Amino acid sequence: MKKLLLLALLLTTAGCFKPMVYLQHKNHYPVDVFYENQRPERPFDPIQDLEMKGEIPVTQRQLVNRRMLSRGNDAQQKELLLSRLTIQAKKLGADALVAVRYTYYTSTTDNGYVMSGLAVKYKKEY
């Protein structure tokens, strides 16, 4: 009887929980974003190659006893970089960024990154 009651309680409360925010969150950028393995369905003309480079110091959470536990930038830092790149593209009059690529390196003191993409303008459809 107790097991049945517990099962009923679990089933009734399970519907009350929503998925975590990051599962529902979809970023909106000022231009469309297509990664290396994606292409827009619309024809386009290239405007300019864009690239952002930089280094961010290694954080304490990445190190334990002077050993590197995690490498590269976290998801928030990557989103910020992509946001900056899309803003640059928008300023050029682009409709999309294609062939977006993110690479990183880690040294004992820094996380380096390069994010690049091609700013493009969609062709008029008749």
Side-chain angles (χ1 to χ4, degrees):
M1 182 70 177
K2 285 185 181 182
K3 288 182 183 179
L4 186 58
L5 192 57
L6 181 61
L7 180 62
L9 180 64
L10 286 174
L11 289 175
T12 57
T13 59
C16 298
F17 295 105
K18 289 185 176 182
M20 296 184 80
V21 171
Y22 65 84
L23 295 176
Q24 296 177 353
H25 183 66
K26 181 172 177 153
N27 293 320
H28 297 284
Y29 298 108
V31 297
D32 297 333
V33 175
F34 298 92
Y35 295 92
E36 285 182 292
N37 57 348
Q38 303 170 323
R39 294 298 262 185
E41 293 180 14
R42 298 174 62 180
F44 59 85
D45 290 318
I47 297 175
Q48 182 178 336
D49 284 315
L50 299 176
E51 183 177 84
M52 294 186 69
K53 296 180 180 180
E55 292 184 348
I56 299 171
V58 172
T59 62
Q60 286 300 323
R61 70 169 181 73
Q62 290 179 284
L63 300 172
V64 171
N65 296 330
R66 298 177 55 177
R67 294 186 66 200
M68 182 75 69
L69 293 183
S70 65
R71 299 182 180 278
N73 300 318
D74 63 26
Q76 275 186 320
Q77 291 166 328
K78 289 178 197 174
E79 290 299 323
L80 181 60
L81 296 171
L82 185 55
S83 294
R84 289 178 182 164
L85 202 62
T86 59
I87 289 169
Q88 283 182 1
K90 188 66 176 177
K91 286 180 181 178
L92 293 172
D95 296 315
L97 264 177
V98 297
V100 173
R101 184 175 186 178
Y102 171 78
T103 54
Y104 75 91
Y105 66 87
T106 303
S107 70
T108 57
T109 59
D110 295 303
N111 294 305
Y113 62 85
V114 178
M115 185 170 274
S116 60
L118 174 63
V120 301
K121 184 83 173 163
Y122 291 136
K123 291 182 179 181
K124 300 261 188 224
E125 293 183 22
Y126 300 101

